[in-house]
Amino acid sequence: VPLQGPRASGAMDLAYVCEWEKKPKSNHCPSIPLVCAWSCRNLIAFTTDLKNEEEKDLTHMVHIIDTEHPWDVYSVNSGHTEVITCLEWDQSGSRLLSADADGHIKCWSMTDHLANSWENTVGSMVEGDPVVALSWLHNGVKLALHVEKSGASNFGEKFSRVKFSPSLTLFGGKPMEGWIAVTISGLVTVSLLKPNGQVLTSTESLCRLRCRVALADVAFTGGGNIVVATSDGSSTSPVQFYKVCVSVVNEKCKIDTEILPSLFMRCTTDPARKDKYPAITHLKFLARDMSEQVLLCASNQNSSIVECWSLRKEGLPVNNIFQQISPVVGDKQPMILKWRILSATNDLDRVSAVALPKLPISLTNTDLKVANDTKFFPGLGLALAFHDGSVHIVHRLSLQMMAVFYGSSSQRPVDEQTIKRQRTAGPLVHFKAMQLSWTSLALAGIDSHGKLSMLRISPSMGHVLDMNMSLRHLLFLLEYCMVTGYDWWDILLHVQPNMVQNLVEKLHEEYMRQNAALQQVLSTRIVAMKASLCKLSSSTIARVCDYHAKLFLIAISCTLKSLLRPHFLNTPDKSPGDRLTEICSKITDIDIDKVMINLKTEEFVLEMTTLQSLQQLIQWVGDFVLYLLASLPNQGSPVRPGHSFLRDGASLGMFRELMVVIRIWGLLKPSCLPVYTATSDTQDSMSLLFRLLTKLWLCCREENHITEPDDTLIDECCLLPSQLLIPNIDWLPINDGIISKLQNKQLVRLQFGKAPGLVGHTVSSQFDAFVRAPGQPKIDHLRRLHLGAYPTEECKSCTRCGCVTMLKSPNKVTAVKQWEQRWIKNCLCGGLWRRMPLSYS
């Protein structure tokens, strides 16, 4: 039964739109095959053509945005001489392929790991032969999400690895990188990227009789083969399928092809519709790794029909004559592969774009039944955009309507008169290209003016669920992102302020159920996830600071411990860092020197320059410990940043270990110690703080047995401000991203190249107390260096947490390089870096 009434339309709404600045003569003219692609790190790439006023020629542009800062668009002249026909992100979401109508394929990657700076490094070409389909080779990683197991405790059961072979492997089974493309003249071309940067390219005809290929798509089989589907664009011709095998022989790339069963669309054999839909306009495998299901769309000027086909093994009946001669044949029926139609739609308005789900949801009968019962639909719907500006989401197997969105120009169905009047009003705006996000909770569409629209898609397709169920759906997808490492921005679109507390607690519970090894792997990712959730509610905003400080602490602790070297090379099993942790947790003495005596000081000997170069990081540790202890007496106010550390035994334990290391280093080089401003000259600030920190740590050392700090400790902490100057901690800035402005479900209008003003954002105003005001000196959050009020150095900031750091390293010392390597590719929270304009003050 198709959905009726408000439910179907409540399933999708516009989150934001971003358009180009209106010039008197608009020079962003839509290229006819406008394309876009969405990466698992929530970067969107799309194309437009730029008209040049004087010379009347076109520049083919590629634009890349991250969904959190859509106005900060990076536009690059692609250097393609003809229209760009394909864009494809790789599985890691950080490299992009573009192909054009002249047979050129380019591979783009980030310059200096910056999401708003790209360069074209390698490529391949089939001269003058337009590319119609393009894909990266498969890397052999395939997961399946089991909705039926969404209540299971083990991540391995919910998200299981599917046995899947890479398209091509290097020595030792490592997948080889590369891409495959199909051209209009029926050639298939494969390029392999060798580890040394060399590109091996080979081109082969798909079959002996080469014919025109108007549409094509590429998919992969579990056995490591590639399947190519082609159509010449006419619905009276068959849709052909080919198996392609790629191998490397004597340092050369070799391609073998063989023909697979073909099919005719059913609408052409149906007498009622015989010549109604002359052209095949869309041909897509339902997923890159599902070569046995294909989606076809045939159209005429005004309408379309969509069909879904599946490849099945079937027995071939054998005539009795043969069965007497050869009993072997009689025992076992010979099997053949045959395409069978799964489902078809009725006549629809003309389809302008198709978007397929990327969420690898398991499609077994039990999974489908549980998904239907719990109303969990991500990954089950595919989106169709129509020429009247509307978008439908239909079920990927039954093609039944699940949700509908009426665009600006497509009025809801009304009486005949208005429809007639509307038709004459001029061309309607509709999506030329569409992509679903990796969790299917958001849909991006690019219309014929190059405007980007971001749609929210409800996980339950608009069905009203109780709070518990809604949380479970979002939690399941958050866990999926945690396991895969994908960005979870599109899930945050659906988090309401009243869900935050619950989601954070449940996420933590699920995480604690995993085995120790997996917990270690995911330890920083879950902290980053909690931080991004806490941003969305005013009651949890102060905890964002704490989570970011915790990520920083984990990173510093790992770096400083990794600098310790065993004194003799053939030392026993434990590294000095592990032994430090063990001794500090075993010896609960409150006197720092008594703990220090138990360590082998020779393991801590470092060069003087190294120790000096670490001073800023050491200073942060010292300042933070002092800040925490001084804020213990007024712990009744959880709005202050730092509050959650007072009950966090693990973090306090880390600080305690670092204090011991710093104390030993201070004996070697006193100038690397943290600087405190004390009221008396004789006071030993380090040992005072260590004593108080140890007492606090003893209160919450065991997670399930936390005691309140006693009055004497609180009294001593009350005295701290009179003994030492309490430092200001530089918390991370409130993020300037879009996500927190989208919660009240009001449409946000943006413009490319123009940052929006932060008007009416309630959450940030409470937060300004902790963050530096404009005009105050800026700080490099990761190197803890002061940059001055008007920085002269180029900086980069994180797209997710807003943390700022200098692009170029001012240091040459190896230890500092080791620290900087931790966040050269991504921020400590896992976010992408973007270059900041110099005037960022």
Side-chain angles (χ1 to χ4, degrees):
V1 184
L3 298 176
Q4 277 135 9
R7 245 189 348 192
S9 51
M12 297 165 80
D13 64 297
L14 263 179
Y16 63 73
V17 294
C18 200
E19 43 200 328
W20 298 97
E21 197 183 345
K22 296 238 185 333
K23 297 248 172 72
K25 286 182 178 162
S26 170
N27 57 2
H28 271 281
C29 79
S31 47
I32 304 307
L34 194 76
V35 277
C36 79
W38 190 323
S39 95
C40 63
R41 309 193 64 178
N42 282 325
L43 293 171
I44 295 179
F46 63 101
T47 62
T48 58
D49 293 349
L50 203 58
K51 252 193 289 213
N52 193 331
E53 291 304 315
E54 295 75 57
E55 296 141 37
K56 294 280 180 284
D57 60 351
L58 292 181
T59 315
H60 304 286
M61 305 293 289
V62 172
H63 310 282
I64 297 174
I65 59 157
D66 85 89
T67 52
E68 175 71 329
H69 306 90
W71 58 88
D72 184 21
V73 61
Y74 179 73
S75 304
V76 56
N77 175 355
S78 65
H80 283 296
T81 47
E82 291 289 329
V83 139
I84 298 171
T85 53
C86 306
L87 284 177
E88 281 289 322
W89 289 100
D90 70 343
Q91 280 96 343
S92 73
S94 44
R95 279 180 312 179
L96 179 71
L97 287 178
S98 62
D100 66 12
D102 195 29
H104 287 254
I105 299 172
K106 298 187 174 197
C107 173
W108 302 85
S109 51
M110 291 187 217
T111 325
D112 301 333
H113 309 291
L114 296 169
N116 54 0
S117 181
W118 295 77
E119 59 189 354
N120 163 229
T121 39
V122 289
S124 64
M125 59 185 258
V126 187
E127 190 64 61
D129 200 351
V131 174
V132 288
L134 176 68
S135 170
W136 289 87
L137 295 178
H138 203 286
N139 62 1
V141 177
K142 181 176 162 151
L143 283 179
L145 271 87
H146 300 283
V147 185
E148 125 187 65
K149 300 228 170 72
S150 67
S153 57
N154 182 355
F155 286 168
E157 288 177 37
K158 296 183 196 184
F159 317 110
S160 60
R161 267 299 285 267
V162 179
K163 202 169 161 20
F164 207 87
S165 301
S167 313
L168 199 61
T169 52
L170 291 157
F171 179 72
K174 186 173 188 265
M176 192 156 188
E177 298 191 305
W179 56 83
I180 174 170
V182 181
T183 69
I184 207 162
S185 73
L187 293 177
V188 56
T189 172
V190 173
S191 296
L192 304 176
L193 292 175
K194 292 184 66 182
N196 61 9
Q198 212 184 333
V199 182
L200 298 178
T201 300
S202 167
T203 306
E204 195 57 63
S205 168
L206 268 172
C207 61
R208 284 201 202 114
L209 276 172
R210 267 170 70 184
C211 50
R212 178 170 180 270
V213 174
L215 302 166
D217 199 21
V218 180
F220 301 93
T221 67
N225 291 323
I226 302 167
V227 180
V228 172
T230 66
S231 155
D232 64 4
S234 158
S235 61
T236 52
S237 314
V239 177
Q240 303 275 10
F241 294 86
Y242 305 93
K243 182 164 100 182
V244 177
C245 292
V246 184
S247 50
V248 175
V249 183
N250 307 333
E251 287 297 297
K252 283 205 169 60
C253 173
K254 182 168 173 289
I255 303 175
D256 296 298
T257 63
E258 82 180 62
I259 295 182
L260 293 172
S262 56
L263 66 90
F264 281 96
M265 283 191 69
R266 196 178 68 180
C267 60
T268 56
T269 53
D270 169 5
R273 296 195 176 99
K274 195 162 181 340
D275 302 317
K276 190 171 175 189
Y277 299 107
I280 295 184
T281 50
H282 296 87
L283 157 66
K284 300 253 189 214
F285 286 106
L286 271 181
R288 279 268 180 255
D289 43 26
M290 281 182 64
S291 54
E292 61 286 342
Q293 275 197 11
V294 67
L295 186 81
L296 297 161
C297 170
S299 310
N300 56 30
Q301 290 301 203
N302 311 319
S303 56
S304 296
I305 188 162
V306 176
E307 298 178 1
C308 181
W309 288 71
S310 122
L311 189 62
R312 309 255 173 96
K313 270 196 172 135
E314 296 186 1
L316 194 64
V318 176
N319 193 306
N320 292 342
I321 298 175
F322 298 111
Q323 290 184 352
Q324 277 100 41
I325 307 169
S326 151
V328 192
V329 179
D331 297 350
K332 195 163 174 248
Q333 221 179 2
M335 302 296 276
I336 57 161
L337 286 171
K338 198 159 184 192
W339 285 100
R340 288 272 178 224
I341 189 160
L342 267 184
S343 52
T345 60
N346 296 326
D347 301 349
L348 306 164
D349 201 76
R350 183 157 171 207
V351 172
S352 64
V354 177
L356 296 175
K358 303 180 181 69
L359 194 71
I361 202 118
S362 159
L363 295 173
T364 61
N365 290 339
T366 42
D367 281 316
L368 286 171
K369 186 181 179 321
V370 173
N372 202 30
D373 294 346
T374 57
K375 303 282 175 269
F376 179 82
F377 297 122
L380 290 175
L382 56 96
L384 303 172
F386 297 99
H387 274 256
D388 67 355
S390 65
V391 176
H392 292 183
I393 291 190
V394 297
H395 196 286
R396 62 191 279 178
L397 299 175
S398 66
L399 296 182
Q400 287 198 324
M401 171 102 85
M402 295 166 82
V404 59
F405 168 76
Y406 298 103
S408 47
S409 48
S410 66
Q411 257 56 54
R412 286 148 207 242
V414 269
D415 61 287
E416 291 292 298
Q417 276 321 104
T418 37
I419 289 183
K420 280 183 187 147
R421 222 175 303 139
Q422 206 183 317
R423 281 268 162 86
T424 55
L428 295 173
V429 177
H430 57 263
F431 291 145
K432 281 285 186 75
M434 261 193 329
Q435 282 271 316
L436 281 162
S437 76
W438 283 65
T439 60
S440 285
L441 293 186
L443 175 76
I446 314 284
D447 68 20
S448 33
H449 298 180
K451 179 170 88 176
L452 174 98
S453 303
M454 180 63 70
L455 294 161
R456 245 191 226 99
I457 302 177
S458 125
S460 63
M461 291 295 168
H463 288 81
V464 181
L465 301 179
D466 64 337
M467 190 58 149
N468 230 352
M469 201 46 122
S470 309
L471 287 173
R472 231 180 81 182
H473 289 348
L474 295 179
L475 191 68
F476 188 49
L477 292 169
L478 281 169
E479 290 165 354
Y480 168 69
C481 289
M482 188 152 66
V483 171
T484 51
Y486 295 161
D487 188 73
W488 57 90
W489 177 89
D490 36 329
I491 305 176
L492 299 179
L493 278 177
H494 298 267
V495 176
Q496 290 302 313
N498 58 351
M499 299 178 175
V500 171
Q501 189 75 31
N502 271 335
L503 270 177
V504 171
E505 282 167 17
K506 290 202 158 88
L507 197 62
H508 185 75
E509 277 169 33
E510 290 294 328
Y511 167 78
M512 293 311 287
R513 288 163 146 195
Q514 309 312 311
N515 60 23
L518 186 58
Q519 281 192 23
Q520 174 118 31
V521 173
L522 303 176
S523 60
T524 51
R525 210 174 279 159
I526 184 169
V527 177
M529 214 169 238
K530 288 176 182 172
S532 60
L533 286 166
C534 285
K535 260 187 204 153
L536 301 176
S537 157
S538 50
S539 57
T540 51
I541 198 95
R543 276 161 56 190
V544 179
C545 298
D546 295 12
Y547 288 128
H548 289 314
K550 185 164 181 174
L551 284 171
F552 194 66
L553 168 66
I554 293 171
I556 284 189
S557 167
C558 293
T559 305
L560 297 189
K561 280 187 192 165
S562 68
L563 295 174
L564 309 179
R565 291 279 169 267
H567 188 49
F568 303 109
L569 283 176
N570 54 355
T571 47
D573 47 357
K574 282 210 168 70
S575 69
D578 293 345
R579 198 158 47 253
L580 169 76
T581 307
E582 191 184 11
I583 285 172
C584 285
S585 61
K586 202 164 63 191
I587 297 171
T588 56
D589 206 299
I590 56 173
D591 182 354
I592 191 163
D593 296 327
K594 286 192 180 153
V595 179
M596 215 167 76
I597 287 168
N598 294 283
L599 291 161
K600 298 183 180 157
T601 19
E602 58 270 22
E603 291 179 346
F604 291 79
V605 176
L606 293 181
E607 289 172 21
M608 295 300 154
T609 48
T610 305
L611 290 176
Q612 192 53 57
S613 68
L614 295 169
Q615 204 279 328
Q616 280 87 9
L617 300 182
I618 290 173
Q619 183 70 45
W620 180 84
V621 175
D623 281 351
F624 205 87
V625 169
L626 174 53
Y627 171 85
L628 282 184
L629 292 168
S631 63
L632 179 66
N634 64 351
Q635 52 172 309
S637 64
V639 287
R640 280 190 63 174
H643 177 80
S644 62
F645 277 98
L646 302 174
R647 292 270 180 286
D648 180 355
S651 299
L652 295 176
M654 272 188 215
F655 276 123
R656 196 167 165 266
E657 290 164 26
L658 292 177
M659 294 287 273
V660 175
V661 177
I662 292 167
R663 179 73 162 196
I664 299 176
W665 284 346
L667 297 175
L668 299 169
K669 186 167 181 65
S671 66
C672 79
L673 285 171
V675 179
Y676 292 111
T677 314
T679 43
S680 95
D681 300 342
T682 52
Q683 159 181 304
D684 180 352
S685 310
M686 285 278 300
S687 63
L688 166 71
L689 291 175
F690 185 83
R691 194 178 82 233
L692 299 176
L693 178 65
T694 303
K695 285 185 177 175
L696 182 58
W697 169 68
L698 288 172
C699 293
C700 53
R701 189 162 58 139
E702 287 150 21
E703 202 176 312
N704 34 18
H705 183 67
I706 294 179
T707 57
E708 284 301 310
D710 57 3
D711 290 347
T712 48
L713 173 58
I714 292 179
D715 290 346
E716 282 190 84
C717 289
C718 282
L719 289 174
L720 277 176
S722 60
Q723 295 164 310
L724 296 162
L725 182 68
I726 309 300
N728 271 332
I729 298 291
D730 280 289
W731 304 102
L732 280 190
I734 177 73
N735 201 345
D736 57 347
I738 191 80
I739 196 82
S740 47
K741 296 199 267 310
L742 299 175
Q743 283 184 309
N744 53 7
K745 300 270 173 113
Q746 293 294 316
L747 169 65
V748 176
R749 291 188 181 282
L750 304 163
Q751 209 177 31
F752 286 119
K754 211 164 139 191
L758 275 168
V759 191
H761 183 37
T762 46
V763 179
S764 60
S765 51
Q766 317 174 345
F767 203 64
D768 291 337
F770 319 132
V771 183
R772 297 192 165 201
Q776 270 188 318
K778 300 284 182 290
I779 186 164
D780 179 325
H781 291 113
L782 296 178
R783 296 190 180 89
R784 309 311 300 180
L785 295 171
H786 292 271
L787 303 174
Y790 300 100
T792 50
E793 284 295 311
E794 267 214 291
C795 291
K796 55 184 182 181
S797 79
C798 168
T799 51
R800 200 184 279 162
C801 69
C803 145
V804 173
T805 183
M806 283 183 285
L807 260 180
K808 294 189 177 56
S809 168
N811 294 28
K812 298 283 176 283
V813 188
T814 352
V816 179
K817 286 252 170 70
Q818 205 173 326
W819 166 239
E820 289 172 357
Q821 277 303 315
R822 278 189 172 275
W823 36 265
I824 191 145
K825 283 189 177 170
N826 302 315
C827 174
L828 294 176
C829 72
L832 288 162
W833 291 116
R834 59 190 190 123
R835 178 182 303 224
M836 298 180 74
L838 247 180
S839 60
Y840 93 93
S841 51

